């Protein structure tokens, strides 16, 4: 038997995120995992699909 180590980034691509948001239709999206740039990009994708931006103070 031969085993190979398969490693993936764990971060979805833009089209995968759009698909999940479209299927799930969340009221809010709160990116909580990844580097800041990943979370910011995720938030921008959610906003582009009509999920409102909410700032807590």
């Amino acid at each position: 038997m031969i085993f190979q180590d398969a490693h993936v980034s764990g971060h979805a691509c833009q089209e995968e995120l759009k698909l999940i948001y479209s299927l799930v239709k969340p009221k809010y999206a709160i990116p909580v995992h990844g580097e800041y740039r990943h979370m910011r990009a995720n938030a921008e994708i959610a906003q582009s699909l009509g999920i409102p931006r909410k700032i807590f103070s």
Side-chain angles (χ1 to χ4, degrees), residues 9-50:
S9 71
H11 297 282
C13 70
Q14 182 175 353
E15 293 306 314
E16 290 172 331
L17 289 171
K18 286 180 180 179
L19 175 63
I20 293 298
Y21 283 131
S22 297
L23 292 172
V24 176
K25 299 183 189 325
K27 187 172 184 178
Y28 301 104
I30 305 172
V32 295
H33 175 71
E35 296 178 16
Y36 177 78
R37 62 190 175 108
H38 292 129
M39 292 189 291
R40 184 71 227 153
N42 190 330
E44 290 173 4
I45 291 168
Q47 289 172 21
S48 74
L49 295 172

